[in-house]
Amino acid sequence: RLELVRLRQLRVLRVVGFFKPYRGIVALTVVAILAVAAIGLANPFLLKLIIDEAIPNRDLGQLYLYVGLMVALPIVTGLIGVGQTWLNTVVGQNVMRDLRNALYVHLQRMPLRFFTSTRTGEIQARLSSDVGGVQQVVTDTATSIVANLATALSTIVAMWLISWPLALISLGLLPVFLVLTYRVGNVRREVTT
């Protein structure tokens, strides 16, 4: 069991090594994800300002400003999201190219015995499915994890700032959902294996 964990860690480190040449673009992607999460926090606060200040004070100027911001911020978020998706795709495709090139070099170094003892279709299927799986992790899963973490943390901060008692009640239910998610994840992992 311990060896399996170490083997997985080594594989992850090898894949992460392919990202080193693209550190700047990866950092910019993470900044874009964090910016989208931060801008997403503005709407609840704007809604609070509309309800607590603009409407009770009958201040149309404030109301127009807050509503205008509530319309403009999702547009800005969408534009940042498009840029983030583009950056993510650029990194993903470059990493995939580098991975395929490394795989090709590795195959060139394999002894002839490997190719005579292994079926050609099996080699090609492994290459396409393994590289495809890594591509899915690179382009979708890693970005989703970072985006979901940023959104969750920023949402918790916003909830706490708006109403800490309601935030405590909401966070009190979190362990129940975590246990359910963990159990479903174990079942899915067993089925997949």
Side-chain angles (χ1 to χ4, degrees), residues 111-158:
L112 188 59
R113 183 174 44 92
F114 171 77
F115 294 101
T116 57
S117 64
T118 310
R119 294 181 302 208
T120 305
E122 183 181 334
I123 294 171
Q124 289 182 340
R126 291 289 305 267
L127 289 176
S128 63
S129 66
D130 289 354
V131 171
V134 171
Q135 183 172 7
Q136 183 178 359
V137 169
V138 167
T139 57
D140 297 331
T141 308
T143 306
S144 296
I145 289 171
V146 173
N148 290 338
L149 279 174
T151 301
L153 292 175
S154 62
T155 301
I156 291 170
V157 169

Side-chain angles (χ1 to χ4, degrees), residues 7-158:
L7 186 61
R8 286 181 182 163
Q9 289 174 343
L10 287 174
R11 287 180 186 160
V12 169
L13 289 175
R14 284 175 60 191
V15 172
V16 168
F18 284 98
F19 286 91
K20 285 185 180 178
Y22 311 105
R23 283 186 294 252
I25 299 174
V26 169
L28 195 57
T29 304
V30 170
V31 167
I33 290 170
L34 295 176
V36 167
I39 293 171
L41 289 179
N43 272 346
F45 288 107
L46 290 171
L47 189 59
K48 181 181 185 305
L49 290 172
I50 288 172
I51 293 170
D52 291 347
E53 293 180 16
I55 292 175
N57 295 337
R58 298 179 185 264
D59 187 347
L60 283 178
Q62 268 188 336
L63 182 64
Y64 290 148
L65 174 66
Y66 297 149
V67 170
L69 285 173
M70 288 179 77
V71 170
L73 289 177
I75 294 170
V76 171
T77 301
L79 292 173
I80 294 172
V82 168
Q84 179 257 316
T85 302
W86 181 77
L87 289 171
N88 190 38
T89 303
V90 166
V91 170
Q93 293 303 313
N94 285 331
V95 167
M96 293 291 64
R97 182 197 62 222
D98 295 345
L99 185 60
R100 285 186 180 107
N101 288 340
L103 203 52
Y104 180 75
V105 168
H106 177 72
L107 282 174
Q108 292 294 323
R109 292 183 182 151
M110 296 297 287
L112 188 59
R113 183 174 44 92
F114 171 77
F115 294 101
T116 57
S117 64
T118 310
R119 294 181 302 208
T120 305
E122 183 181 334
I123 294 171
Q124 289 182 340
R126 291 289 305 267
L127 289 176
S128 63
S129 66
D130 289 354
V131 171
V134 171
Q135 183 172 7
Q136 183 178 359
V137 169
V138 167
T139 57
D140 297 331
T141 308
T143 306
S144 296
I145 289 171
V146 173
N148 290 338
L149 279 174
T151 301
L153 292 175
S154 62
T155 301
I156 291 170
V157 169

Side-chain angles (χ1 to χ4, degrees), residues 155-172:
T155 301
I156 291 170
V157 169
M159 288 169 44
W160 191 268
L161 292 174
I162 290 173
S163 173
W164 67 266
L166 288 176
L168 283 177
I169 292 170
S170 298
L171 293 175

